[in-house]
Amino acid sequence: MSALLTRTTALGYDDLVLLVAEHAELLAAARATIAAAALGEGDPLIHLRHALAAHGQLPPAGARPVVLLARCSAPTVLPRCLIGEVS
């Protein structure tokens, strides 16, 4: 069982590294969007739109912001051992 746990942890670590990198990318895009808006750029959302599109995360046409916020949950990329589902 120790080998299985080590293997699961190693895979989980890779997932976590990817998640951290994606979070950093999204945070940079959000900061660039705020900076672009403050400078009065024509389309400040382009930075965020590009980052979301790169991961297939653009909202569907006509989506309501409150609905999108209500559906926020832990990403499925997190291994179960990191979100408390290990028995």
Side-chain angles (χ1 to χ4, degrees), residues 1 4-5 8 21 26 61 71-72 74 82:
M1 180 155 175
L4 178 61
L5 183 57
T8 302
L26 183 57
R71 291 184 181 160
C72 181
L82 294 177

Side-chain angles (χ1 to χ4, degrees), residues 1 5 80-81 84-87:
M1 180 155 175
L5 183 57
R80 284 182 267 170
C81 63
E85 293 182 15
V86 172
S87 51

